[in-house]
Amino acid sequence: RARHRGPPDGGWGWMIVAGCFLVTICTRAVTRCISIFFVEFQAYFGQDYARTAWIHSIVDCATMLCAPLGSLISNHVSCQVGIMLGGLLASTGLILSSFAASLEHLYLSLGVLTGLGFALCYSPAIAMVGKYFNKRKALAYGIAMSGSGIGTFILAPVVQLLIEQFSWRGALLILGGFVLNLCVCGALMRPISLKEDCKTAPEFLEQDYVPETEKQDLKRMSICSPLIKLWPHECLCYCSWKEYDFLLMPGFMVLAVSVLFMAYGCSPLFVYLVPYALSVGVSHHQAAFLMSILGVIDIIGNVTFGWLTDRRCLKKHRYFCYLFAVGMDGLCCLFLPVLQSFPLLVPFSFTFGYFDGAYVTLIPVMTADVVGTSLLSSALGVVYFLHAIPYLVSPPVAGWLVDTTGSYTASFLLCGFSMIFSSALLCFARLAKKIKRTHLRSLTGNTALKQHIWTNGATAYSVTAELDQKDVEFLAVDTNSFSNR
């Protein structure tokens, strides 16, 4: 395994992008296309909306709930092994689902087993892209994540055709064979070792690809380097930090809470867009075409937003680009109940698909900006894990609202308000952080700052506090005494 000074931003990295592109087709696109089976499952098993919706919910939930397991295997065994194993499990689940005799059978095979296989593939493949790219990270993610849209665009009409020709059982059997391509994707994931993964604090600060938040923390530690020399270890290695220390970072906490509401809002639409279109008189082929439109525009959102947010003028504003995209998707959901014909649903698919692709691309980019590249795999595992409960709960809740009210209005309104709240939460958090920073600057001025540093044996912590003149003089004398030892 070659060690690189920084992410190569090219070379084999483009093969990693291609592998991740295929992974998103075989995981997220296939998951979306399960909604096309919704009407078939409901008619064959004679169940209501809520019970049938559990199939899609369990797939999504298992994929996200087991995402940390995928990260764990990737970090401690091999990304290649994890993705190949995931491909075998997902394919087995789909093939077993083709023999299902009840919804409970589908819950276990299509839901749990296939979802677990997708989990072992999804987050490790995405994390590998972050290790190979820095300057063109958003563009690389845009291309890689566009597999979801391209896959949906191609698979939606193909799956509908397979159902008509071979029934839903034959369609699931063929999808099971198709998903085996995940094993090929796993073979492409060549490991890479970065110097950033084990580096002293002064060396780490010199790298231009280090997120600004990490630079600030390490600068605070390096101020009291004479104290650090007293430790048993002479260098402070970044890789010695605990894998999940980022969970206590305020920025990550806010992102995590917003992800919960965003995930709740986005999931039901992919389950109920086709049934809703059929309920307002759209034909089966037109309903499947709406999913195709959503998928192909999703691609444009992936790539264009990835390219735009890599530009110098927008690179510093990725945060606001993300919350804008989430908020726009929320507004689209609020307007959906009044769109009751195919010509009106087409513009909806365009708009929702574009902004869905936009924020999906920026999720791993924002996560990397918050926690750094070396912790990206673990952090993405947690971020996708947080999708699990909303993905599990929201489609059945939306189905229960449809069964209770007799319309989709309440379900879509709840989704829209949830996504808008997610966007507003991020906006208020950023404004609060900016106000606090301005307030602290006005209070401190040119006043000297003191750095407290202590360690629990593995992690260094720092706290900044305001000093009076006597404390400044004492710290200067104390530091000189340490330097002379």
Side-chain angles (χ1 to χ4, degrees):
R1 181 188 301 189
R3 174 165 291 183
H4 296 258
R5 182 174 179 81
D9 272 299
W12 190 259
W14 293 116
M15 294 303 295
I16 300 297
V17 171
C20 187
F21 174 85
L22 292 173
V23 168
T24 55
I25 289 179
C26 294
T27 56
R28 303 312 299 159
V30 170
T31 301
R32 288 182 179 182
C33 288
I34 290 175
S35 63
I36 298 175
F37 290 91
F38 187 93
V39 176
E40 301 294 328
F41 290 154
Q42 190 180 27
Y44 185 86
F45 296 107
Q47 300 294 336
D48 57 19
Y49 277 84
R51 284 178 58 84
T52 310
W54 277 106
I55 299 170
H56 193 283
S57 295
I58 295 172
V59 175
D60 265 337
C61 178
T63 301
M64 301 308 175
L65 190 67
C66 299
L69 178 61
S71 298
L72 185 67
I73 294 175
S74 174
N75 291 339
H76 298 283
V77 182
S78 167
C79 180
Q80 295 170 315
V81 171
I83 294 177
M84 289 181 178
L85 177 61
L88 291 173
L89 289 176
S91 177
T92 302
L94 285 164
I95 292 172
L96 291 177
S97 298
S98 66
F99 299 99
S102 65
L103 281 182
E104 289 74 16
H105 186 160
L106 288 174
Y107 293 162
L108 292 175
S109 57
L110 186 56
V112 176
L113 190 57
T114 300
L116 174 60
F118 288 165
L120 298 184
C121 303
Y122 192 55
S123 59
I126 294 173
M128 284 294 291
V129 176
K131 285 187 173 290
Y132 272 85
F133 287 87
N134 174 56
K135 294 180 181 178
R136 291 179 283 185
K137 182 181 291 183
L139 175 61
Y141 272 125
I143 296 172
M145 304 297 279
S146 67
S148 176
I150 292 176
T152 304
F153 175 72
I154 297 173
L155 287 180
V158 169
V159 167
Q160 183 63 47
L161 183 63
L162 290 175
I163 292 174
E164 293 175 359
Q165 295 294 322
F166 305 106
S167 79
W168 62 266
R169 296 185 185 275
L172 285 175
L173 188 64
I174 294 171
L175 280 179
F178 172 74
V179 165
L180 276 174
N181 284 293
L182 287 168
C183 297
V184 179
C185 302
L188 295 174
M189 299 297 169
R190 180 188 297 171
I192 183 173
S193 179
L194 302 175
K195 281 192 174 182
E196 172 191 357
D197 295 336
C198 188
K199 186 173 289 294
T200 63
E203 292 172 337
F204 195 70
L205 284 169
E206 294 175 1
Q207 306 303 319
D208 59 358
Y209 56 85
V210 179
E212 195 61 33
T213 53
E214 294 177 19
K215 284 188 176 182
Q216 295 299 327
D217 289 340
L218 289 175
K219 282 178 182 177
R220 294 191 187 108
M221 294 176 199
S222 61
I223 290 174
C224 291
S225 56
L227 296 178
I228 296 175
K229 290 180 182 179
L230 297 176
W231 295 351
H233 302 284
E234 293 184 357
C235 69
L236 177 65
C237 289
Y238 182 65
C239 63
S240 67
W241 290 16
K242 293 181 180 178
E243 285 187 26
Y244 293 95
D245 277 355
F246 60 83
L247 291 172
L248 299 178
M249 296 172 61
F252 185 82
M253 290 181 181
V254 173
L255 178 63
V257 174
S258 71
V259 162
L260 290 173
F261 287 95
M262 179 272 293
Y264 182 92
C266 72
S267 181
L269 184 120
F270 291 101
V271 181
Y272 293 109
L273 179 59
V274 171
Y276 171 72
L278 294 174
S279 72
V280 295
V282 175
S283 69
H284 283 78
H285 285 285
Q286 287 177 329
F289 186 61
L290 288 174
M291 288 294 292
S292 294
I293 293 173
L294 193 151
V296 74
I297 300 302
D298 195 294
I299 305 163
I300 299 174
N302 287 142
V303 178
T304 58
F305 241 65
W307 182 83
L308 287 172
T309 52
D310 269 342
R311 302 303 94 195
R312 185 173 298 177
C313 58
L314 288 178
K315 198 165 189 175
K316 295 181 179 179
H317 304 290
R318 288 170 174 169
Y319 188 95
F320 292 102
C321 291
Y322 171 81
L323 65 89
F324 174 74
V326 174
M328 287 300 296
D329 262 1
L331 286 176
C332 288
C333 289
L334 295 183
F335 283 104
L336 183 55
V338 300
L339 308 177
Q340 299 188 0
S341 65
F342 181 72
L344 292 177
L345 288 172
V346 169
F348 166 83
S349 293
F350 272 89
T351 308
F352 186 90
Y354 182 81
F355 288 108
D356 178 74
Y359 76 74
V360 166
T361 294
L362 291 181
I363 287 176
V365 177
M366 286 186 59
T367 306
D369 288 344
V370 172
V371 305
T373 301
S374 61
L375 295 176
L376 181 58
S377 181
S378 299
L380 279 177
V382 174
V383 167
Y384 292 127
F385 170 82
L386 293 172
H387 286 65
I389 301 302
Y391 277 6
L392 178 66
V393 173
S394 57
V397 169
W400 176 80
L401 289 173
V402 173
D403 291 332
T404 304
T405 63
S407 75
Y408 291 85
T409 302
S411 299
F412 291 144
L413 290 180
L414 185 59
C415 293
F417 284 124
S418 180
M419 298 190 78
I420 290 172
F421 179 78
S422 172
S423 178
L425 180 64
L426 290 173
C427 184
F428 289 140
R430 178 52 64 94
L431 291 175
K433 183 178 179 180
K434 188 174 182 180
I435 292 171
K436 182 179 179 181
R437 186 181 301 166
T438 305
H439 180 64
L440 286 175
R441 285 177 181 173
S442 64
L443 286 178
T444 56
N446 295 324
T447 305
L449 297 179
K450 173 173 67 178
Q451 298 288 334
H452 287 294
I453 292 189
W454 71 95
T455 178
N456 64 359
T459 306
Y461 300 90
S462 65
V463 173
T464 303
E466 193 172 336
L467 291 178
D468 55 27
Q469 188 61 33
K470 291 182 180 180
D471 287 333
V472 174
E473 294 173 358
F474 174 78
L475 182 60
V477 173
D478 196 35
T479 304
N480 288 333
S481 66
F482 280 127
S483 300
N484 294 331
R485 291 186 182 181

